[in-house]
Amino acid sequence: MVVEAEEQQSQAVGKDENEIVTENSAFVHPEPPQDDSGPPKVESPVEILHEKVTKQIIKEGHGQKPSKYSTCFLHYRAWTESTGHKFEDTRHEQQPLEMVLGKEKKEMTGLAIGVSSMKSGERALLHVGWELGYGEEGSFSFPNVPPKADILYEVELIGFDETKEGKTRGDMTVEERIGAADRRKMDGNALFKEEKLEEAVQQYEMAIAYMGDDFMFQLFGKYRDMALAVKNPCHLNTAACLIKLKRFEEAIGQCSIVLTEDENNAKALFRRGKARAELGQTDAAKEDFLKARKFSPGDKAIVREMRLLAEHEKAIYQKQREIYKGIFGPRPEPKPQTNNRLIHLLVLFWQWLVSFFKHERAKDD
């Protein structure tokens, strides 16, 4: 599947100067989802970061490592090593964790040591001893962690901002947060044009992290409009990258977030329809495309996708006909009907003949 920069498309859905993408269509079968039952199995070398912290790299990152007081944005899943119980998953919550290195919570000391050794985009498996985790007593609220529990973290460092004083999002003004998010969005667009899709996604995720639900709930009027003008394009551009990366379920989620704010957003409907079509969800895809066409009636991209979807459905129907034809075989030829009147006459003649012989025998006796 090919994704083209939106700036190059004269007929892109809902085109605006800060956004990217219309995508050409192809119906493919995505890879099956990975098993989410436990920590990943990693065969890379073990790196000792601390007496109680080790790391194995799952995916290499890029660039520099964060320094003290850097504001880091990360996704992670966490399990207790002894029981394999998963007690936290930030991707499930669709909200990355913000951590200022050197100012982290006590129970995240080991996690912070691991993060400080990572590069942007790096994914790693960390083993953290209980002494640098939830300690001797554990946690009986949320998250629920037993006493003296060693922890396994699967961590992805989305990115970080270097700030000497360790300024968190909560310490920023509204304008500062929106400005920081907008800079990340523009960085993501630049990376997209260079076909660095995963790095672009990381920038969009960091931009979105500046405008979490807790922040958006506080905004009204022009400030909310300003924030949405940055936030929604980041979700839509993330979806564009994810479609090209064949991560269709995640793309659907990004579009759906935009549609909760703006149910008539033609671009979100269009991209969600494409992702659904790729997953074979043809009815849902058709519904999205029809809605998108309603709000953007002259868009050629929507018409093209609807035509491709119709051709795909027709091909499936023809294939099913061939399959069923092979199962049941050719229709049997009808048998010629026998003349019922002739049969009736023969029966009457036979009855008369039997009666006649009986009568003749009776006369002889």
Side-chain angles (χ1 to χ4, degrees):
M1 183 188 302
V2 179
V3 181
E4 300 174 0
E6 187 172 31
E7 289 80 1
Q8 297 174 357
Q9 297 293 325
S10 59
Q11 298 294 331
V13 181
K15 179 177 178 181
D16 88 37
E17 62 183 1
N18 289 327
E19 295 194 50
I20 44 181
V21 49
T22 54
E23 306 88 1
N24 292 335
S25 182
F27 290 89
V28 300
H29 298 286
E31 294 180 2
Q34 295 182 351
D35 182 15
D36 194 34
S37 60
K41 292 180 172 58
V42 186
E43 298 180 356
S44 59
V46 176
E47 182 181 353
I48 299 175
L49 305 178
H50 181 277
E51 184 183 358
K52 298 294 180 180
V53 183
T54 62
K55 181 180 85 167
Q56 291 175 277
I57 295 177
I58 300 172
K59 175 179 169 291
E60 294 284 353
H62 55 86
Q64 302 297 313
K65 298 176 182 179
S67 58
K68 190 174 183 179
Y69 299 131
S70 293
T71 301
C72 301
F73 297 95
L74 54 134
H75 274 301
Y76 70 90
R77 298 188 297 166
W79 298 263
T80 54
E81 186 177 27
S82 59
T83 64
H85 165 64
K86 184 171 74 171
F87 62 84
E88 208 157 9
D89 187 342
T90 61
R91 286 203 179 276
H92 181 73
E93 301 296 329
Q94 294 188 335
Q95 183 65 47
L97 174 72
E98 176 189 21
M99 174 187 288
V100 178
L101 296 180
K103 293 188 176 183
E104 67 278 351
K105 296 178 181 179
K106 183 180 178 181
E107 62 268 21
M108 293 190 172
T109 303
L111 177 60
I113 291 172
V115 170
S116 66
S117 74
M118 298 173 69
K119 299 177 181 179
S120 293
E122 181 178 326
R123 207 155 52 95
L125 182 68
L126 303 178
H127 177 282
V128 175
W130 62 266
E131 296 89 345
L132 298 182
Y134 287 83
E136 189 172 2
E137 296 183 358
S139 172
F140 292 95
S141 56
F142 179 83
N144 184 9
V145 183
K148 293 187 176 181
D150 293 339
I151 300 171
L152 290 172
Y153 289 103
E154 181 192 9
V155 187
E156 180 182 4
L157 178 58
I158 299 168
F160 59 89
D161 284 331
E162 290 285 8
T163 49
K164 294 180 180 179
E165 62 280 350
K167 195 171 186 179
T168 64
R169 289 173 295 179
D171 296 328
M172 294 180 177
T173 65
V174 171
E175 290 87 350
E176 285 176 333
R177 286 181 72 155
I178 295 174
D182 190 54
R183 286 192 294 275
R184 289 292 180 182
K185 184 191 78 169
M186 299 307 293
D187 289 344
N189 289 356
L191 288 165
F192 179 87
K193 290 176 183 178
E194 296 174 13
E195 292 292 316
K196 297 177 180 178
L197 300 177
E198 292 189 356
E199 294 176 30
V201 169
Q202 291 159 11
Q203 293 301 315
Y204 295 137
E205 284 189 315
M206 285 189 65
I208 293 166
Y210 278 104
M211 294 174 291
D213 291 341
D214 58 336
F215 176 66
M216 296 299 296
F217 286 150
Q218 302 173 40
L219 301 182
F220 298 93
K222 70 171 185 177
Y223 286 115
R224 185 170 180 82
D225 292 341
M226 287 169 59
L228 288 176
V230 177
K231 183 174 183 288
N232 283 350
C234 286
H235 286 298
L236 292 171
N237 293 351
T238 300
C241 294
L242 293 172
I243 288 172
K244 189 170 185 182
L245 292 167
K246 295 181 171 51
R247 291 157 58 181
F248 303 119
E249 292 285 1
E250 294 175 67
I252 290 170
Q254 294 291 323
C255 294
S256 296
I257 291 171
V258 175
L259 290 168
T260 59
E261 291 283 352
D262 179 10
E263 63 181 357
N264 300 334
N265 189 297
K267 191 176 296 185
L269 289 165
F270 175 72
R271 291 179 191 162
R272 189 172 71 173
K274 286 183 61 59
R276 285 174 163 175
E278 295 285 0
L279 292 174
Q281 301 170 6
T282 53
D283 290 340
K286 187 184 299 182
E287 183 179 350
D288 280 342
F289 288 144
L290 287 171
K291 287 182 181 178
R293 187 176 65 177
K294 177 182 176 182
F295 300 115
S296 186
D299 196 282
K300 294 180 180 179
I302 299 173
V303 175
R304 182 181 68 246
E305 294 301 329
M306 293 187 69
R307 185 182 69 248
L308 290 169
L309 188 63
E311 292 173 356
H312 177 64
E313 286 185 305
K314 183 178 178 181
I316 290 177
Y317 173 72
Q318 293 293 344
K319 188 174 182 180
Q320 289 175 338
R321 281 192 63 184
E322 291 299 319
I323 291 172
Y324 292 139
K325 181 179 178 181
I327 291 174
F328 297 110
R331 184 176 178 179
E333 293 292 331
K335 295 180 179 180
Q337 295 184 352
T338 309
N339 193 320
N340 291 332
R341 181 174 176 79
L342 177 60
I343 293 174
H344 181 65
L345 290 174
L346 289 172
V347 170
L348 290 176
F349 176 74
W350 175 254
Q351 290 175 343
W352 174 84
L353 194 61
V354 170
S355 177
F356 173 78
F357 280 113
K358 284 184 178 179
H359 179 71
E360 290 298 318
R361 183 180 295 176
K363 286 173 61 178
D364 294 339
D365 292 343

